[in-house]
Amino acid sequence: MASLAVEATLRLVEIVSSLILEEINRKKDVKEDIDCIMRWLKTMRAFLRDQEGTQGNEGHQDKVHQIRDLAYDIEDAFDDFMFHVPHHVHTHMITKFAHGATHFPQQRVVLHKMSSRIKKIRTKIQNFGYLEPLRTGNTTSGESGTSGVGSEDHLAHRVVEEDDIVGFEGHVECIRDQLLSGEPKLSTISIAGPPGSGKTVLAKQVFECKRVQGHFDFHAWLRVSPSFKREEILWSILTQFFPGMDGSVLIKGVAVREIFSKYMQQKRFIVVLDDIWRMQDWEKIVNELQIGSSGSRILITSRNSGVGESCVGYPNYVHQLNGLPWKEAFNLFGKKAFWSRNGICPPELEDWSEKIIKKCEGLPFAVIAAGNLLSKKGQIPHEWKKLHDSLGANLPVIGSILLPSYKYLPSNLRSCFLYFSIFPEDYSIQRQRLIRLWIAEGFVKEARNTSLEETAENYLNELVQRNLVDVTAKDIEGRVRSCRVLNIVHEFIIDKAEEENFVGSASERSSSSQGRIRRLSAQTDIRTNVELSQTLRHVRSAFMLGRGKFPSLKFFQLLRILDMQGAPLEDFPNGVKELVLLKYLSFQETNIKTVPKYDVKNYMTFDGAKGVEMLSGRGALSNIQKLSLVMATTELIEKLDGMIHLRKLGLINLKSKDGRKVCESIQKMEHLSTLDLRAESGDHLELDHIQIKPGFVFLRHLYLKGQLQKLPKWVSSLESLIKVCLKWSRSNINPLQALQDLPNLMDLNMVDAFTGQTLEFKANTFRKLKMLQIEQFSELSIVDVQVNAMPALEKLTFRKCEKLDTLPFGIKMLTNLQELLLYDMNGEFIDRLRKNSEDLNLVRHVRVIRSYTLSKDQYWLPQNLS
């Protein structure tokens, strides 16, 4: 399909068209041409959306390819204009240099060329032809069923036998008990998980259990497609409830609720709603079933975990399936692949069996399908390697399972989902990197009162809830820190990305020419074999994900994104400065030592962090959302008053005399989420002048670095605060007094923040704290943890507290403590944790205990005390 190309081009035209008209002096004929292009793009977008999920004949497919190519022509024309007249997109940096550039003859040539290209494109549009013949009769619809016994995986069920389900015994028993419980009201139980995880098979096994069938008076099983009709679903329930009833009862127009009330008083029913897609779909059905029947149950399956969680009344009524454990997956695979050998794997095939099972990631349908296929293959390593290397192509049943989830994605989420095809298999990508790339690509749509970063994070969470993206790590707030797609999902989206011409791959196996490549992913350890030709001029996003040599940047004039993270680079590429349309540039984890800057003198170092001085003449800053680690100059402090939309503020080199002015500005920033204030060396932070208002509720991260007599009173009012970092406060007043009742504090890091001898964590305080670090408390000798203090603490770190020679009193009560980390601590403290020490019993529940000592070579030498 060409929908993604049309969507991207339409966004570009909407942004750039006004600039073109301004440069061409709003010529009437050019305006008409651009309006024609806009109308055509919107028509094509509507057509392609209407055709999603259909398989057309060759004429239909050819037309779709023509749409995509024409969209690329439009995009190329507009990008060429931006490349040659770049000052519109690089305001403030080169405006003075570019001012009046359009008066030069060469610029007039560019503008004339642009006008001519627009007219030629309009002619192509006019000759494009009609779409109406393609709308009727020439396409075959995809899945359209609305009810009946089936599932999200119904095309794949023929590969599963009744005794195939393994590893779900605990779920079966728990769900059965919940169905048969004495709960008198109507209750819902959900089974959620990625496509192919066995949700429907599990539900069917429970539903057909004799005890369950005998417990309920009425039974119904329905598959709910994304396009289901409510009336059909409800009438299907009734026909299953009353199969022998006189048909005259089932009169169209009679409310289902009336029939239920008449015939089902004090009757128990069980309804399975298989493959629920949206919360509103469930609500449409369940609202008709709320008739007060004693002890009735609804069991749903959903590939969307968010739906599964929202439909139930109790957290333990959600059963999340994430694939079989390794042992069960291996046994299931052996049962299928080696049925003639009683499930025993030959030694010469153990290695490839493990690799294939790993690639299936424990998903039962994938494991079964792979096992069934291999049982018919020659049992030699070469044959098994071939299947492993192209598992998706050899198992079309996997594609049939994943296709509905893909087709049902909105266009913006589809682009974000396909983006994972750029990265190699098993590649885990950081949330922030992914979000910034999506924004730079233009995938993220603006939403009222929501930043682009927040909207992009919502996109990611939606993909996670749909079980299309797998979370590999979470931060302390429970947010995604890094993520990936499962291996079989990765193979599926690579195929879809190829269909959409979404990304071209430069690898050892890739072809030398792939048409008009929009995104180039180099995943090779040798010199890329993509031809250095004019085809690369069409690339908009380039990624170096291997250790090979990347093509010269001179071939990428229209590049918007250049991601070289982890590439074997020693020097900053000279060609970068010629990429005038660049929006995203990353050289993280490379060996580049120096990066050319506009004015190096404006950078300074403070405690290992770098702050930059804001120069004058940078334009209006009233709409800026992030301003981090900038020097607190007099000029900047004066401008802070107008930056009311800031979400992140980081000031370095702050002076005491500026405290009141800074506080007055901060209290106006009602969207502020992160505040990082660092005093000038040797100076105090004066922060007592903030008046917290009811609207000041977004602050979640607070970093205060500098001398403080005591924490400001307003800190105790920050109910949304999750993380606090205090450094070099050197206060003789215990900072815990101001922090102990914060209801959401999870992470507390204190460095040289207290000069007292005793640190007391009072009873029933710090209820949600998970991480605590205490560093360089030079006089600290006693840490006292009272009853029910820090009940959720998981990680405790002490660093360079020289006089602390005893374990914290009450550490045994920290039952959730998993890690105790010690850096350059008192020798007596360490001795209390060694074997045969009496104090060792106090920390036997702690899984990881490590001590680190700094060597003469400045390396941390670890010692395991667990």
Side-chain angles (χ1 to χ4, degrees):
M1 296 299 288
S3 56
L4 299 184
V6 169
E7 194 77 42
T9 304
L10 184 56
R11 286 196 298 265
L12 177 66
V13 174
E14 288 172 342
I15 294 171
V16 183
S17 58
S18 60
L19 305 180
I20 294 175
L21 292 173
E22 179 181 338
E23 290 299 328
I24 308 179
N25 298 319
R26 300 192 176 276
K27 291 173 62 177
K28 184 178 179 180
D29 58 336
V30 177
K31 185 177 186 306
E32 290 177 353
D33 292 337
I34 292 178
D35 288 343
C36 173
I37 289 173
M38 290 281 285
R39 288 193 301 270
W40 184 83
L41 285 169
K42 290 178 180 179
T43 300
M44 292 306 102
R45 179 174 63 181
F47 166 75
L48 292 171
R49 286 178 177 176
D50 184 54
Q51 298 296 298
E52 283 183 354
T54 62
Q55 296 293 326
N57 55 28
E58 290 185 9
H60 178 274
Q61 293 299 321
D62 181 63
K63 209 70 169 179
V64 168
H65 291 156
Q66 289 180 41
I67 293 172
R68 183 172 63 197
D69 289 343
L70 195 45
Y72 284 162
D73 287 341
I74 297 169
E75 187 178 34
D76 288 343
F78 279 68
D79 275 345
D80 272 333
F81 169 80
M82 295 176 70
F83 177 79
H84 290 101
V85 189
H87 55 281
H88 287 295
V89 291
H90 290 279
T91 56
H92 306 308
M93 287 186 289
I94 60 174
T95 300
K96 292 181 180 179
F97 171 80
H99 181 69
T102 56
H103 297 294
F104 289 104
Q106 60 186 31
Q107 291 294 86
R108 291 193 176 278
V109 170
V110 171
L111 298 175
H112 177 74
K113 181 180 178 181
M114 179 63 189
S115 178
S116 299
R117 290 182 73 172
I118 291 176
K119 291 186 181 299
K120 289 180 180 179
I121 290 171
R122 183 176 182 181
T123 300
K124 287 184 179 181
I125 289 173
Q126 292 171 338
N127 296 331
F128 183 73
Y130 295 102
L131 295 172
E132 195 59 35
L134 296 174
R135 293 182 184 272
T136 57
N138 289 337
T139 61
T140 56
S141 175
E143 174 187 15
S144 60
T146 60
S147 63
V149 178
S151 73
E152 56 154 32
D153 307 325
H154 70 288
L155 295 176
H157 276 180
R158 61 180 179 271
V159 304
V160 182
E161 299 173 3
E162 290 183 2
D163 60 347
D164 278 337
I165 187 165
V166 294
F168 293 155
E169 291 80 8
H171 285 298
V172 170
E173 183 178 355
C174 185
I175 295 172
R176 185 178 59 227
D177 291 344
Q178 290 168 350
L179 290 174
L180 302 177
S181 71
E183 175 67 42
K185 65 180 182 180
L186 177 67
S187 299
T188 301
I189 302 159
S190 70
I191 304 172
S197 58
K199 301 182 293 296
T200 300
V201 176
L202 173 57
K204 186 176 182 182
Q205 184 166 359
V206 176
F207 179 72
E208 294 180 347
C209 170
K210 291 183 178 179
R211 285 180 58 195
V212 172
Q213 288 284 310
H215 181 77
F216 295 98
D217 302 295
F218 299 99
H219 318 83
W221 178 296
L222 301 102
R223 182 175 61 86
V224 186
S225 77
S227 57
F228 84 98
K229 294 180 180 179
R230 174 174 161 274
E231 293 78 10
E232 292 183 5
I233 287 287
L234 295 175
W235 283 99
S236 180
I237 292 175
L238 285 174
T239 55
Q240 292 185 59
F241 279 2
F242 309 112
M245 183 173 287
D246 186 352
S248 62
V249 174
L250 305 179
I251 302 173
K252 294 291 184 179
V254 177
V256 173
R257 183 179 294 273
E258 294 179 16
I259 298 176
F260 271 49
S261 298
K262 182 177 181 180
Y263 292 98
M264 299 189 62
Q265 292 297 324
Q266 304 304 316
K267 300 291 186 180
R268 288 193 297 256
F269 65 79
I270 178 172
V271 172
V272 178
L273 300 176
D274 190 23
D275 212 8
I276 287 282
W277 287 76
R278 299 170 301 187
M279 185 64 183
Q280 54 264 42
D281 296 344
W282 176 79
E283 290 173 344
K284 288 178 182 178
I285 300 171
V286 77
N287 286 340
E288 293 292 334
L289 304 181
Q290 298 279 7
I291 59 171
S293 295
S294 177
S296 295
R297 299 287 183 265
I298 298 175
L299 177 62
I300 74 166
T301 72
S302 180
R303 61 185 74 197
N304 189 321
S305 295
V307 171
E309 293 169 2
S310 300
C311 290
V312 304
Y314 309 100
N316 62 329
Y317 275 28
V318 180
H319 299 268
Q320 179 73 32
L321 303 185
N322 291 312
L324 298 173
W326 174 259
K327 182 178 179 181
E328 281 79 4
F330 193 90
N331 290 340
L332 180 59
F333 178 79
K335 179 181 177 181
K336 294 298 176 182
F338 309 113
W339 61 269
S340 61
R341 300 172 56 95
N342 295 321
I344 300 175
C345 175
E348 66 272 16
L349 294 178
E350 284 183 359
D351 184 46
W352 283 110
S353 294
E354 291 180 0
K355 289 179 180 179
I356 291 170
I357 296 169
K358 180 178 183 295
K359 203 164 189 177
C360 293
E361 312 244 23
L363 296 179
F365 279 120
V367 173
I368 292 169
N372 283 339
L373 179 62
L374 286 167
S375 68
K376 304 168 186 175
K377 298 282 185 181
Q379 294 194 352
I380 54 177
H382 175 69
E383 288 287 336
W384 289 47
K385 178 183 183 301
K386 283 170 36 178
L387 182 128
H388 170 272
D389 292 345
S390 55
L391 190 64
N394 283 283
L395 300 178
V397 67
I398 301 301
S400 70
I401 293 172
L402 294 170
L403 187 60
S405 291
Y406 175 75
K407 290 196 303 185
Y408 194 55
L409 284 173
S411 60
N412 55 334
L413 286 185
R414 187 176 296 183
S415 298
C416 294
F417 181 46
L418 286 182
Y419 218 72
F420 287 91
S421 66
I422 291 172
F423 305 97
E425 187 178 275
D426 274 333
Y427 192 93
S428 188
I429 183 170
Q430 297 293 314
R431 180 192 77 239
Q432 285 295 340
R433 180 186 180 192
L434 187 62
I435 282 175
R436 288 165 182 160
L437 285 166
W438 285 351
I439 292 173
E441 290 277 7
F443 295 162
V444 184
K445 299 178 181 179
E446 291 187 6
R448 182 178 297 180
N449 298 324
T450 306
S451 68
L452 288 176
E453 287 85 355
E454 290 170 333
T455 301
E457 188 168 352
N458 291 337
Y459 289 0
L460 177 58
N461 292 336
E462 178 69 17
L463 290 173
V464 170
Q465 285 195 334
R466 290 172 181 255
N467 285 295
L468 294 174
V469 172
D470 188 53
V471 178
T472 52
K474 293 184 177 181
D475 63 17
I476 194 170
E477 301 176 47
R479 299 161 65 196
V480 177
R481 175 175 288 168
S482 59
C483 57
R484 58 183 281 264
V485 291
L486 301 181
N487 294 330
I488 59 172
V489 176
H490 187 261
E491 291 203 12
F492 172 81
I493 61 175
I494 284 178
D495 290 340
K496 293 303 171 187
E498 184 176 340
E499 289 178 14
E500 291 274 7
N501 195 30
F502 187 84
V503 60
S505 176
S507 64
E508 289 89 341
R509 294 183 295 172
S510 63
S511 61
S512 60
S513 179
Q514 302 180 51
R516 284 201 276 191
I517 300 172
R518 266 349 193 211
R519 296 172 186 87
L520 178 65
S521 176
Q523 304 177 21
T524 173
D525 289 333
I526 60 175
R527 180 182 176 87
T528 176
N529 61 353
V530 172
E531 288 184 356
L532 305 183
S533 66
Q534 281 298 103
T535 59
L536 296 185
R537 188 177 182 277
H538 299 288
V539 173
R540 301 299 193 271
S541 305
F543 298 80
M544 183 65 205
L545 297 165
R547 309 299 295 177
K549 187 176 180 180
F550 203 72
S552 171
L553 292 179
K554 69 180 181 180
F555 294 98
F556 299 93
Q557 287 185 344
L558 303 181
L559 208 62
R560 298 181 193 137
I561 290 172
L562 179 59
D563 190 322
M564 307 287 280
Q565 183 168 328
L569 295 176
E570 301 289 339
D571 302 311
F572 189 88
N574 292 326
V576 170
K577 63 183 179 181
E578 305 298 331
L579 304 176
V580 298
L581 301 184
L582 204 62
K583 292 183 177 181
Y584 178 98
L585 176 65
S586 176
F587 291 118
Q588 291 187 25
E589 301 173 21
T590 65
N591 295 321
I592 294 175
K593 300 296 190 299
T594 59
V595 178
K597 297 182 183 304
Y598 177 71
D599 188 355
V600 178
K601 295 180 180 178
N602 287 315
Y603 285 80
M604 62 167 292
T605 301
F606 178 75
D607 183 46
K610 290 185 177 181
V612 60
E613 180 180 352
M614 295 290 290
L615 298 179
S616 59
R618 296 264 176 147
L621 296 173
S622 59
N623 292 319
I624 195 170
Q625 294 188 5
K626 290 187 178 181
L627 185 67
S628 188
L629 289 187
V630 295
M631 292 175 59
T633 62
T634 301
E635 182 180 3
L636 178 62
I637 290 172
E638 290 296 326
K639 291 181 178 180
L640 277 180
D641 187 68
M643 302 183 194
I644 61 174
H645 297 292
L646 276 178
R647 297 174 184 269
K648 182 175 183 179
L649 174 63
L651 297 178
I652 202 168
N653 206 32
L654 191 63
K655 300 176 179 61
S656 298
K657 65 182 180 66
D658 296 323
R660 178 178 292 275
K661 179 64 176 175
V662 170
C663 288
E664 291 174 352
S665 298
I666 288 175
Q667 68 187 25
K668 297 179 181 179
M669 303 172 185
E670 296 184 351
H671 302 287
L672 197 63
S673 175
T674 299
L675 179 61
D676 187 344
L677 301 177
R678 309 184 183 192
E680 188 175 45
S681 181
D683 212 338
H684 286 75
L685 286 172
E686 296 291 343
L687 303 173
D688 293 320
H689 309 289
I690 294 179
Q691 300 295 323
I692 297 296
K693 298 178 181 179
F696 199 85
V697 296
F698 293 101
L699 195 64
R700 299 165 67 84
H701 303 93
L702 178 64
Y703 305 88
L704 301 178
K705 303 175 183 179
Q707 294 187 44
L708 279 168
Q709 292 184 351
K710 63 177 181 178
L711 275 178
K713 293 181 180 179
W714 53 268
V715 173
S716 301
S717 304
L718 300 174
E719 295 187 351
S720 298
L721 210 57
I722 288 176
K723 181 173 183 178
V724 173
C725 181
L726 303 174
K727 291 190 176 183
W728 314 299
S729 306
R730 302 186 182 96
S731 174
N732 58 8
I733 300 176
N734 187 345
L736 302 183
Q737 297 288 338
L739 302 172
Q740 61 188 12
D741 294 322
L742 291 174
N744 292 298
L745 186 62
M746 297 183 183
D747 189 348
L748 176 58
N749 185 352
M750 299 182 292
V751 179
D752 195 10
F754 180 51
T755 59
Q757 297 179 348
T758 302
L759 202 57
E760 184 179 58
F761 294 86
K762 294 184 178 180
N764 300 308
T765 60
F766 294 101
R767 302 294 298 172
K768 289 190 177 180
L769 194 67
K770 292 184 178 181
M771 299 176 65
L772 173 64
Q773 178 167 321
I774 299 171
E775 180 176 349
Q776 288 182 269
F777 279 33
S778 58
E779 301 299 321
L780 184 66
S781 58
I782 296 175
V783 176
D784 184 14
V785 180
Q786 297 182 3
V787 178
N788 288 329
M790 302 186 290
L793 193 68
E794 298 175 356
K795 183 176 181 180
L796 175 60
T797 303
F798 288 104
R799 188 189 297 256
K800 295 183 179 179
C801 297
E802 299 169 356
K803 294 185 178 181
L804 184 63
D805 55 11
T806 60
L807 293 175
F809 299 135
I811 193 172
K812 189 174 183 178
M813 294 185 292
L814 301 177
T815 55
N816 285 310
L817 190 63
Q818 299 176 21
E819 291 183 82
L820 177 60
L821 305 181
L822 312 168
Y823 294 83
D824 269 354
M825 288 295 291
N826 186 304
E828 292 184 36
F829 189 104
I830 303 301
D831 288 340
R832 293 179 182 275
L833 295 170
R834 300 188 189 280
K835 292 182 179 179
N836 302 322
S837 169
E838 294 181 2
D839 289 353
L840 193 59
N841 287 327
L842 302 177
V843 291
R844 287 199 181 278
H845 62 290
V846 183
R847 182 173 54 87
V848 175
I849 304 176
R850 288 196 179 95
S851 173
Y852 297 85
T853 304
L854 196 63
S855 69
K856 294 181 180 179
D857 299 327
Q858 300 299 301
Y859 288 103
W860 288 106
L861 302 178
Q863 182 181 8
N864 186 10
L865 301 174
S866 303

